[in-house]
Amino acid sequence: MADRDLAHAENAPGGFFVDTTCIDCDTCRQVAPATFIAVDGHSAVGAQPVDEAGRQAAARAVVCCPTNSIGSDQAALVRAASAEFPLPIVDDIAYCGFTAASSFGASSYFIHHADGNWLIDAPRWTPQLVQAIERAGGLCGIFLTHRDDVADAARYAQRFGARRVIHARDADAMPGAEQVITGEDEVALAADLVAIPTPGHTAGHCVALHRGTHLFSGDHLWWSRRLGALNASREVCWHSWTEQTAS
């Protein structure tokens, strides 16, 4: 739980705040960009939300924060926000929220699939999310884009009997994975869901393509709000920038 006594001085006065345990993962700034800003290596509340939509987005950020570094005086609103996840994004895809510190706040996603539901990367273990997945029909698979974003995949796999899929070059991060991809050829995971090896960020990085239209890119590339375009960074490439740009 965030501690107001540790709140950053840059927070705008009001009900929401960020404390000094923030790891600058950017999750809150993605979820509620109108409220949270980046300041000298951490997040802060740049402006308190002024309407219901803004307060709802800020409450979702409280739920999603991997280090519980965001505080709020609106407990009921935060409880309501926690019940929204997985949060629908488009078609049969939803954002899991509940990011993990071990994954540095990486996003994970839930796909409601006719042949069995999938997680793309894994969130932290959270009873509310487990119950929501149960209501949605459970899980048949967990596709892990790379070693950094496994979080609590093992617990979700055990709970739902789901098969974990990861590339061999990153498989030491997920011992006991039920399916290990080798080589650099595409691998069909399910109808309209394909794994594509994209080495670079890590040796075993892969992306997942759903229905030929939605790409789960892991840390291969991402949307830059500053540039207004897709981007990648050599600074956070852990294996080979040459391979990453080639793939």
Side-chain angles (χ1 to χ4, degrees):
M1 180 179 294
D3 186 343
R4 192 173 284 276
D5 289 339
L6 299 178
H8 282 294
E10 297 92 343
N11 288 305
F16 290 92
F17 66 92
V18 180
D19 75 14
T20 56
T21 62
C22 173
I23 59 173
D24 197 28
C25 69
D26 194 47
T27 295
C28 65
R29 304 192 299 264
Q30 295 177 38
V31 174
T35 296
F36 298 97
I37 60 172
V39 183
D40 296 331
H42 61 83
S43 291
V45 174
Q48 294 290 334
V50 296
D51 57 19
E52 187 61 28
R55 286 187 288 273
Q56 186 176 40
R60 290 171 181 160
V62 174
V63 173
C64 294
C65 177
T67 50
N68 295 315
S69 301
I70 305 173
S72 170
D73 61 0
Q74 301 189 43
L77 188 62
V78 172
R79 283 195 299 272
S82 70
E84 294 183 287
F85 294 92
L87 185 69
I89 300 174
V90 61
D91 299 332
D92 51 5
I93 300 169
Y95 171 54
C96 290
F98 296 103
T99 67
S102 62
S103 296
F104 201 70
S107 298
S108 60
Y109 300 91
F110 177 84
I111 299 177
H112 198 288
H113 196 286
D115 298 330
N117 302 326
W118 282 80
L119 283 181
I120 307 297
D121 290 326
R124 69 179 183 265
W125 178 262
T126 308
Q128 299 101 306
L129 190 59
V130 171
Q131 292 163 12
I133 292 172
E134 286 176 341
R135 291 192 296 271
L139 293 172
C140 79
I142 303 173
F143 175 70
L144 300 166
T145 59
H146 64 297
R147 65 171 58 252
D148 299 344
D149 294 353
V150 302
D152 287 327
R155 292 189 69 179
Y156 282 96
Q158 182 178 32
R159 172 63 183 81
F160 291 103
R163 85 177 192 268
R164 294 160 293 170
V165 184
I166 193 168
H167 197 281
R169 293 176 180 171
D170 279 9
D172 60 311
M174 184 45 56
E178 289 75 18
Q179 181 177 350
V180 176
I181 296 170
T182 58
E184 296 189 8
D185 293 333
E186 296 182 4
V187 175
L189 301 175
D192 295 322
L193 184 61
V194 179
I196 306 170
T198 51
H201 174 72
T202 64
H205 194 287
C206 297
V207 299
L209 182 63
H210 180 47
R211 293 188 173 180
T213 55
H214 296 98
L215 184 71
F216 299 91
S217 59
D219 284 344
H220 185 61
L221 73 168
W222 54 85
W223 180 258
S224 168
R225 295 188 301 279
R226 180 178 62 84
L227 298 175
L230 290 172
N231 191 34
S233 173
R234 190 169 192 162
E235 294 180 359
V236 292
C237 175
W238 312 134
H239 172 63
S240 169
W241 182 242
T242 299
E243 289 186 50
Q244 185 168 343
T245 54
S247 62

